[in-house]
Amino acid sequence: MARTSLTVADLVAWTQRFRDLMVEHRAALTELDSAIGDADHGSNMARGMQSAVEKLEQTAPETVGAWGKSVGMTLVSSVGGASGPLYGTFFLRFGASGGDATELDAAALGAALRAGLEGVLARGKAEPGDKTMIDALGPALDAFDAAVDQGLEAAIAAARDAAAAGRDATEPLQARKGRASYLGERSIGHVDPGATSTAYLFDALATATGSAA
Amino acid sequence: MARTSLTVADLVAWTQRFRDLMVEHRAALTELDSAIGDADHGSNMARGMQSAVEKLEQTAPETVGAWGKSVGMTLVSSVGGASGPLYGTFFLRFGASGGDATELDAAALGAALRAGLEGVLARGKAEPGDKTMIDALGPALDAFDAAVDQGLEAAIAAARDAAAAGRDATEPLQARKGRASYLGERSIGHVDPGATSTAYLFDALATATGSAA
Amino acid sequence: MKKLINDPDGVVRDALVGIEVAHPDLRVDHENRIIYRREPTRPGKVALISGGGSGHEPLHGGYVGFGMLDAACAGEVFTSPTPDQMVEATKTADSGAGVLHIVKNYTGDVMNFEMAAELAESETGVRVASVVTDDDVAVQDSLYTAGRRGVGVTVLLEKIVGAAAEEGRDLDTLAELATRVNASGRSMGMALTSCIVPAAGKPTFDLPENEMEIGIGIHGEPGRHRVPLAGAREIAEQLVEPILADHDFTGAPAIVLLNGMGGSPLLELYLMYGEVQRILEASGVTVARSLVGNYITSLEMAGCSVTLLRADDELLGLWDAPVATPGLRWGV
Amino acid sequence: MKKLINDPDGVVRDALVGIEVAHPDLRVDHENRIIYRREPTRPGKVALISGGGSGHEPLHGGYVGFGMLDAACAGEVFTSPTPDQMVEATKTADSGAGVLHIVKNYTGDVMNFEMAAELAESETGVRVASVVTDDDVAVQDSLYTAGRRGVGVTVLLEKIVGAAAEEGRDLDTLAELATRVNASGRSMGMALTSCIVPAAGKPTFDLPENEMEIGIGIHGEPGRHRVPLAGAREIAEQLVEPILADHDFTGAPAIVLLNGMGGSPLLELYLMYGEVQRILEASGVTVARSLVGNYITSLEMAGCSVTLLRADDELLGLWDAPVATPGLRWGV
Ligand SMILES: Nc1ncnc2c1ncn2[C@@H]1O[C@H](COP(=O)(O)OP(=O)(O)O)[C@@H](O)[C@H]1O
Ligand SMILES: Nc1ncnc2c1ncn2[C@@H]1O[C@H](COP(=O)(O)OP(=O)(O)O)[C@@H](O)[C@H]1O
Ligand SMILES: [Mg+2]
Ligand SMILES: [Mg+2]
Ligand SMILES: [Mg+2]
Ligand SMILES: [Mg+2]
C-alpha cells in the first residue's frame, strides 16, 4: 500500500541517502563547479552532509523541527561558502514548518518544502532563471503541488523528475547570481552545480521513501 | 699555398665565426646546460660573443695583444657566470702572449693558445677529466702541438678534431667542477656545454683560417 | 597534483599549525580556525575582523596584528568560513567598543557574515558593523551579477582602517571610513595559469600555452575573456585601462598595489609594476605609495592584479602609520 | 612559456625599472645594473655588497636598505654579474671604511667576485674582504665537487652582518662574523616542478607528475635524487635529517628559514613549516626565531628549502635589530 506520510525516521533516511549521493558524486559536482565556479561544491556538500549525518547519529531527533534544526544548523556551521547558508536555511525553515510534528503527510511535506524554498529565496535573493539551485527547487515544488492529489509517493516522484529537468534546464542559462555570474556569457552551456545537488536532494527523497517509480 | 701565419684580421674573422656559431647553436648549448646546469650557457656565450664582435667593429685592434684584450675584457664584462671569466681569461692571456705582434706563426699561435689554457686552469682550477671546457681545450692544444710540424693549417685542423673528440669524451664523465658537479653521478651521460662551446671555438678557427680539411 | 601537503582535505588545519608556530605574536584557535593577535583587544579599541576562504595567503591571517586586523577566520580553500567562526571571533575580539566585519563581496562570504552579525548581536549584544568590499572592475555591478568582487582593495582597507582603529576611532567612524576606502578603490586581474584546489586535485580550468584569462578573481575561477597571450606592456594596459575607465584617479595621490596571484616570480611582478607605473604616469595619475608582491593570492596561480586607491592626506597618513603583521610591516 | 615579460632577453633590464619606481628608498644604476640605497653609505660604515644571477628575488636587490646591504649587483637570470658591476658598486658604496663582498659559492660568482676584488683593490685602493657562503648540505663539500652551494644562509648572513655593520664594526670584525655565521648554517632544498629560464623558454628539467627532486639548488638545476612524490611530513624529514646529520643544532637557539622556491603558495609553506618545526622539536632543537616565505627563490619553481642557523645571544640580538629593506623589515 502506498505510503501517505513521512516519519522522522524517513527524514533521517533521506538525509543519509543525500549524504551518500553527495559523497558518491563529489568529484562530479566539483567538476561542474570548476567550469563556472571555484571547484568546491562537491567537497562543500560532501563535508556538510557527512557532518549532518554524524550529528543525527549522535542525537536522534524526535520531531520534524528537531531534525530540520539539526541538519540545518550543522550545514550552516560546517559548510561555509554559498551552499552552507542556503542549504542550511532550507533545512532550518523546513524544520520550523514541521515544528513538533512527528509525521508529515503530503500537504504538510509540501508546505515544509515550500517554507524551505522561501528561506533560500530570502537568503540568496535569486530569482527563477538566475541559474542557481532555485531552478531545480522551484520546479520541483510546483510539480509536487500539482501531483499532490495523486498521493505522497507520486508527488515526490514528480518533484524528483521536475528537479532533474530544472537542473538540465540551467545549462543554456546565463548566470545572474553567485560566482557563475562573474563569467557573464561564458556561464552559458554549463549545468549549475547547486541545481545538480538539489536534483540529488529530490532523488534521495524519492529513494529513501520508496517513491522511486 | 698553405698559409703559415695568422694576421690580426684572421683573429677578427675567427671571433666573428665563433660568434656566428654561438648564435646559431645558442638553443642547443642551453639545452645541454639544462641537463646538467642552469640553462644559460647558450645565452651567455651568444651575448658575450655578440658584444665582443661589436667591440671589435667599433675599435679595430692592430695587434694580437689588442685583439685579445678587447675580446677578453668584453667577455669578462658582459657575460658573467662561469664562462665569462674563463673565456675572458683565455682571450686575455692569448693576447698577452701575442703582445705587440701583428702576426702569429704556428709556433706563436701554439704558445698563445697554451697561455690561454694556462689562464683558464689558473682561474678555474679544473683538472683534465673534471668534465669542463678544459677537456676540449687540453686535447686540442696537445693535438695542435703534435701536428705543428705539418704546418699551421694541419695543426689547426688537428686541434679542431681533438676538441670535438674531447667534447664527446666528456659524456661518460662525472663532473667534478662547476655546476654539473652538484649532480654527482647524474652528470654522467651528458656532454658538457662548455666543452661543446670550446669545440666550436676550434671549429671556428679552422673555418675562419681555411684550415677546414 | 604537486603540492606540499599531507592530505587534500586537511590543508587548512595543517597550515594553521605552521602559522601559529611561525608567529609568536599570533594565537590560533584551532577548533574554530581563528587567528588572533596574541594580546587581547585593548579596551576601547574597535576590533577589526575579517575572514574568507583559505588559499589567498597572506590574506587574511597574515594581516592580523598591530595596525590591521584583530582576528581572521579561515574557511576551507576558496570557501567562506561559517557564521559560527565569525560569531566566536566577534565575541572574543570585542573589547566593548564593537566589531567591524570586513567582508569581500562573494555570495557565500556575504551570507555567512550576515548570519554571523545577526547571531552575534542577538546572542551577545556586541555591536557589529560591516563593510563589503567590491572593487573588481572585471565584473559589472548590476542586477545581472552578484556584484563586483572584493579583491585587492581589501588589503589596503584592512591597513588603513586598522590604523584608524589603533587611533581609537569609534565603530561608526570606522565603518564610514571603510566604506569610503572601498568606494575609492578599483582592481583588475589576469591569469597565465589556473590554480589547483587541493580537494579538487586538478586545475580549475585549462588554459592553452598561448592564451591567458583577463578579468579573473581570486578563487581560481575563469575570467571574463580568454585572449591570446601578450607581453607585459600589453597586459598592463589591459589591466589599467578598465580601472581608469571606471573611476577618476587623477588629481589625487594614488596608492597602487601590483599583486601577484601566487605563482608568478617577484622578478616578473616588478617588471609588471614598471609597466603599470609608466601607464599611470602617462594617464596623469600620481602614484604616492606602492606595494609589489603576493598580497592577495589564488594558491599557485600565475598572474597578477592591479589595484588603485584614490587617496588623500588622511588616507596616506593612515597608510604610513605603523603596522606589524606577518604580511605587512613597517614603522615598528 | 607563460611569463609576465616583454622580451626574454630584457627581463632583468625591465624588472630593474619596476624595482626602482616601487622603492623610493632605493636607487638603481641601470647601466651597471646595481641597486643602491638612496642615501650614500654613512662615513665610517663598512659597505656590504652582494649580487648574483637574477631570478632569486627578493635576493639580493630586495635586501638593500638599512640594516642589510648597501648595494646589490644583478646578473642575467641565473648568471652571476660581471666584475665591472662589482667594481663599480664597490667604489660607489665605499665610505672609506672598506667593503665586504658577500658571495654565494658558485664557480661563476666566486670567479667574478675574485676578479672584482682584485681590480677594485688595485685600481682604487678600496679595502675589500669577502665571505663565500656554502651551506647547502645536498652537495658534498669535497675535492670532487665545486663545494657546497650558497643558499638560504646568505639571507640570514646579510641580515645579521648588516646589523653589525650599522653598529659601526670594522671590516675585519665583520668578515669574521660573516665567516662564523656561514659556518653555523646549513640548508637543504627540494622541488616539485622546474622553473623556466626566460631566455631558454622551456623548463630546465622535466619532472613527472609523481616525482620530485631532492637536493636542488636555486638555479633550476636538477637535484641529487629524483624520488617518488611524498607528503609534506615525509618531505620535511627528507630536508631536516641531512641538515641535522651534518651539524649539531642542539644546545643553542636556532634561527629557522622555511623558504619557498617561488611557485608554492604561502599556505603550503606554512603547512611545511609546521612539519619542520615538529621534527626540530622532537630532535631537541630550540627554535628561537623563524621566517616563512619566499626569500631566496628560483623563479616560479614549486618547492621549498629549509635553513637552520645555530645562533647565540649575539646573533639573536643582531637578528632582532632594526631592518628596513623591501624583503625584510622590522623594528623601524
Ligand atoms: N544567491 C543564490 N541563491 C541561490 N543559490 C545560489 C546563490 N548563489 C549561489 N547559489 C548556488 O550555490 C552554488 C555554489 O555553491 P558552492 O560552490 O558550494 O559555493 P561557493 O559559490 O561559495 O563556492 C551554485 O551552483 C548555485 O546553485
Ligand atoms: N672550474 C671550471 N674550470 C673550467 N671550466 C669550467 C669550470 N666550471 C665550469 N666550467 C665550464 O663552464 C661551463 C658552464 O658555463 P655557463 O653555463 O656559462 O656558466 P654557469 O655554470 O655559471 O651557469 C661548464 O659546462 C664547464 O665547461
Ligand atoms: Mg563553489
Ligand atoms: Mg650555466
Ligand atoms: Mg567556494
Ligand atoms: Mg649560470
Side-chain angles (χ1 to χ4, degrees):
Chain A
M1 206 192 84
R3 93 165 58 212
T4 57
S5 70
L6 297 187
T7 63
V8 175
D10 292 326
L11 297 177
V12 170
W14 176 23
T15 324
Q16 287 165 334
R17 179 69 194 144
F18 186 40
R19 184 267 321 264
D20 294 346
L21 289 173
M22 291 299 93
V23 171
E24 186 183 335
H25 298 285
R26 177 185 155 141
L29 289 168
T30 287
E31 184 81 32
L32 291 175
D33 199 27
S34 296
I36 55 170
D38 58 349
D40 63 356
H41 190 59
S43 40
N44 285 347
M45 293 305 296
R47 180 177 69 250
M49 290 312 299
Q50 190 63 43
S51 300
V53 168
E54 278 164 21
K55 189 67 183 296
L56 292 176
E57 284 164 357
Q58 277 163 31
T59 319
E62 310 219 322
T63 63
V64 173
W67 169 83
K69 188 167 184 188
S70 172
V71 174
M73 289 300 288
T74 307
L75 290 178
V76 166
S77 62
S78 66
V79 176
S83 42
L86 291 171
Y87 273 103
T89 300
F90 175 83
F91 286 103
L92 285 170
R93 294 290 183 93
F94 184 114
S97 167
D100 289 341
T102 57
E103 281 196 58
L104 295 173
D105 63 14
L109 175 60
L113 288 168
R114 184 69 59 187
L117 168 62
E118 298 299 336
V120 174
L121 289 173
R123 184 57 67 202
K125 300 180 190 69
E127 291 181 20
D130 282 355
K131 195 175 184 125
T132 71
M133 57 171 67
I134 289 297
D135 295 322
L137 200 46
L141 298 208
D142 293 345
F144 186 98
D145 291 347
V148 75
D149 293 344
Q150 299 159 45
L152 181 64
E153 293 188 3
I156 290 177
R160 177 204 54 201
D161 296 341
R167 170 200 64 204
D168 295 343
T170 61
E171 185 169 337
L173 298 177
Q174 175 168 341
R176 287 190 296 237
K177 275 284 177 300
R179 242 171 243 297
S181 70
Y182 305 142
L183 287 176
E185 291 183 357
R186 290 176 84 187
S187 65
I188 293 170
H190 299 276
V191 172
D192 179 61
T196 306
S197 56
T198 294
Y200 283 123
L201 178 70
F202 284 92
D203 190 340
L205 179 60
T207 330
T209 59
S211 318
Chain B
M1 203 194 82
R3 88 162 65 211
T4 56
S5 69
L6 299 187
T7 62
V8 174
D10 291 327
L11 298 176
V12 170
W14 177 23
T15 323
Q16 286 164 336
R17 178 71 193 144
F18 187 39
R19 185 269 320 267
D20 293 346
L21 289 172
M22 291 300 93
V23 170
E24 184 183 338
H25 298 285
R26 178 186 154 140
L29 289 169
T30 287
E31 184 82 34
L32 291 175
D33 198 29
S34 296
I36 56 170
D38 59 349
D40 62 358
H41 190 58
S43 39
N44 285 347
M45 294 304 297
R47 180 177 69 250
M49 290 312 301
Q50 190 63 44
S51 300
V53 167
E54 278 163 20
K55 189 65 185 292
L56 291 177
E57 283 164 357
Q58 275 163 32
T59 319
E62 311 220 319
T63 64
V64 173
W67 168 84
K69 189 167 183 190
S70 171
V71 174
M73 289 301 288
T74 307
L75 289 178
V76 166
S77 61
S78 66
V79 177
S83 41
L86 291 171
Y87 273 104
T89 300
F90 176 81
F91 285 104
L92 285 171
R93 294 291 184 92
F94 184 114
S97 169
D100 289 340
T102 55
E103 282 197 59
L104 296 173
D105 64 14
L109 175 60
L113 289 168
R114 184 69 59 187
L117 168 63
E118 298 300 336
V120 174
L121 289 172
R123 182 60 64 201
K125 300 183 189 67
E127 290 180 21
D130 281 356
K131 194 174 184 125
T132 69
M133 58 173 66
I134 288 297
D135 295 323
L137 200 48
L141 298 208
D142 293 345
F144 186 98
D145 291 347
V148 77
D149 292 346
Q150 297 159 46
L152 180 65
E153 293 187 3
I156 289 176
R160 177 203 55 200
D161 294 343
R167 169 201 65 204
D168 294 344
T170 60
E171 184 168 340
L173 298 177
Q174 175 168 340
R176 288 190 297 236
K177 274 286 177 298
R179 240 171 244 297
S181 71
Y182 305 142
L183 287 177
E185 291 181 357
R186 291 176 84 186
S187 64
I188 293 170
H190 299 276
V191 172
D192 179 60
T196 306
S197 54
T198 294
Y200 283 123
L201 178 69
F202 284 93
D203 191 339
L205 179 59
T207 329
T209 58
S211 319
Chain C
M1 172 180 48
K2 296 196 130 179
K3 288 186 175 285
L4 301 167
I5 61 174
N6 293 309
D7 155 21
D9 292 324
V11 170
V12 177
R13 175 197 64 212
D14 293 353
L16 284 170
V17 172
I19 290 174
E20 175 161 54
V21 290
H23 299 296
D25 288 352
L26 302 181
R27 179 170 72 78
V28 175
D29 169 353
H30 292 282
E31 200 197 317
N32 292 299
R33 302 195 173 178
I34 304 169
I35 299 171
Y36 293 103
R37 301 189 194 183
R38 166 72 49 194
E39 303 297 328
T41 312
R42 175 165 43 83
K45 178 189 168 304
V46 172
L48 262 56
I49 292 184
S50 192
S54 295
H56 309 302
E57 290 65 28
L59 190 85
H60 293 277
Y63 300 133
V64 174
F66 181 82
M68 286 184 86
L69 301 179
D70 293 272
C73 303
E76 282 298 324
V77 173
F78 294 168
T79 301
S80 99
T82 66
D84 299 48
Q85 295 175 269
M86 297 158 183
V87 170
E88 175 64 27
T90 302
K91 287 195 288 194
T92 306
D94 181 41
S95 75
V99 178
L100 179 67
H101 285 179
I102 300 170
V103 186
K104 301 189 297 304
N105 188 35
Y106 299 98
T107 307
D109 293 67
V110 170
M111 288 192 299
N112 283 286
F113 264 105
E114 258 172 28
M115 292 179 90
E118 291 163 17
L119 287 167
E121 291 198 305
S122 72
E123 278 179 16
T124 67
V126 175
R127 269 198 71 208
V128 175
S130 298
V131 60
V132 177
T133 60
D134 62 343
D135 51 312
D136 188 350
V137 299
V139 178
Q140 306 267 315
D141 187 14
S142 79
L143 278 177
Y144 303 106
T145 65
R148 289 194 313 233
R149 294 174 286 222
V151 286
V153 96
T154 317
V155 179
L156 309 185
L157 187 153
E158 290 178 0
K159 166 67 188 84
I160 289 170
V161 181
E166 298 295 348
E167 287 182 354
R169 302 194 197 178
D170 68 24
L171 184 58
D172 290 337
T173 314
L174 292 175
E176 211 176 289
L177 174 66
T179 305
R180 180 156 73 89
V181 170
N182 177 59
S184 312
R186 295 292 186 279
S187 299
M188 181 81 182
M190 59 78 58
L192 293 171
T193 64
S194 170
C195 57
I196 300 178
V197 175
K202 49 184 179 175
T204 303
F205 56 86
D206 289 316
L207 199 48
E209 185 62 23
N210 55 347
E211 290 182 355
M212 60 183 183
E213 290 273 339
I214 299 285
I216 51 128
I218 54 170
H219 295 89
E221 67 271 46
R224 286 294 288 223
H225 311 286
R226 182 165 291 195
V227 300
L229 194 61
R233 181 153 298 189
E234 159 113 30
I235 293 172
E237 271 159 22
Q238 295 195 33
L239 296 181
V240 174
E241 269 173 18
I243 291 176
L244 298 185
D246 198 84
H247 196 74
D248 180 15
F249 286 94
T250 59
I255 301 177
V256 184
L257 166 62
L258 188 294
N259 173 62
M261 301 311 299
S264 283
L266 192 50
L267 187 71
E268 295 177 25
L269 301 182
Y270 274 122
L271 190 153
M272 277 299 301
Y273 182 67
E275 300 297 341
V276 166
Q277 158 113 3
R278 202 181 44 76
I279 299 172
L280 292 176
E281 270 172 16
S283 310
V285 179
T286 311
V287 178
R289 301 290 186 276
S290 66
L291 206 55
V292 179
N294 293 306
Y295 290 99
I296 170 170
T297 60
S298 191
L299 292 170
E300 72 275 60
M301 180 178 269
C304 66
S305 64
V306 174
T307 299
L308 257 71
L309 179 67
R310 186 185 175 91
D312 56 24
D313 286 347
E314 184 198 2
L315 298 191
L316 290 183
L318 292 167
W319 177 256
D320 292 340
V323 58
T325 71
L328 275 191
R329 186 165 199 135
W330 57 71
V332 276
Chain D
M1 171 180 49
K2 296 195 130 181
K3 288 187 176 281
L4 302 166
I5 61 175
N6 293 310
D7 155 23
D9 292 323
V11 171
V12 177
R13 174 197 64 212
D14 293 352
L16 284 169
V17 171
I19 290 175
E20 175 161 53
V21 289
H23 299 295
D25 289 352
L26 302 181
R27 178 170 73 79
V28 175
D29 169 352
H30 291 282
E31 198 197 319
N32 292 299
R33 301 194 172 179
I34 304 170
I35 299 171
Y36 294 102
R37 302 190 194 182
R38 166 71 50 192
E39 302 298 325
T41 311
R42 172 165 46 81
K45 180 188 167 304
V46 171
L48 263 55
I49 293 184
S50 193
S54 295
H56 309 301
E57 290 65 32
L59 193 82
H60 294 274
Y63 299 134
V64 174
F66 181 82
M68 287 185 86
L69 301 179
D70 294 272
C73 304
E76 282 299 324
V77 172
F78 294 168
T79 301
S80 99
T82 66
D84 299 47
Q85 295 175 270
M86 298 157 182
V87 169
E88 176 63 27
T90 301
K91 287 196 287 194
T92 305
D94 181 40
S95 75
V99 177
L100 180 66
H101 286 180
I102 300 171
V103 186
K104 302 189 297 304
N105 188 35
Y106 299 97
T107 307
D109 293 66
V110 170
M111 288 191 301
N112 284 286
F113 265 106
E114 259 172 28
M115 292 178 88
E118 289 163 18
L119 287 167
E121 291 197 307
S122 72
E123 278 179 16
T124 66
V126 176
R127 266 198 73 207
V128 175
S130 300
V131 59
V132 177
T133 59
D134 63 342
D135 52 311
D136 187 352
V137 299
V139 179
Q140 304 266 313
D141 186 15
S142 80
L143 279 177
Y144 304 107
T145 65
R148 290 194 314 233
R149 292 175 287 223
V151 287
V153 96
T154 316
V155 178
L156 309 186
L157 187 152
E158 290 178 0
K159 167 68 187 85
I160 289 170
V161 181
E166 298 294 348
E167 287 182 355
R169 301 196 199 178
D170 68 23
L171 184 58
D172 290 339
T173 314
L174 292 175
E176 211 178 285
L177 174 67
T179 305
R180 180 156 74 88
V181 171
N182 177 58
S184 311
R186 296 291 186 280
S187 299
M188 180 80 182
M190 60 78 57
L192 293 171
T193 62
S194 170
C195 57
I196 299 178
V197 175
K202 47 185 180 172
T204 303
F205 56 85
D206 289 316
L207 199 49
E209 186 61 24
N210 56 348
E211 291 182 353
M212 60 183 182
E213 290 273 339
I214 298 285
I216 51 127
I218 54 170
H219 295 89
E221 66 270 46
R224 287 295 288 218
H225 312 285
R226 183 165 288 196
V227 300
L229 194 61
R233 182 153 297 190
E234 160 114 27
I235 292 172
E237 272 159 21
Q238 295 195 36
L239 296 181
V240 174
E241 269 173 20
I243 291 175
L244 298 184
D246 197 85
H247 196 74
D248 181 13
F249 286 93
T250 60
I255 301 177
V256 184
L257 166 62
L258 188 295
N259 173 62
M261 301 311 300
S264 283
L266 192 51
L267 187 72
E268 296 178 24
L269 301 182
Y270 275 122
L271 190 153
M272 276 301 300
Y273 182 67
E275 300 297 343
V276 165
Q277 159 114 359
R278 203 182 42 76
I279 299 173
L280 292 177
E281 269 172 17
S283 311
V285 178
T286 312
V287 178
R289 302 290 185 277
S290 66
L291 206 56
V292 179
N294 293 308
Y295 290 100
I296 169 169
T297 60
S298 193
L299 293 170
E300 72 274 62
M301 179 178 269
C304 68
S305 65
V306 175
T307 299
L308 257 72
L309 178 67
R310 186 185 175 91
D312 56 25
D313 286 347
E314 185 199 1
L315 297 190
L316 290 183
L318 291 167
W319 179 255
D320 292 340
V323 58
T325 71
L328 275 190
R329 183 165 202 136
W330 56 72
V332 274

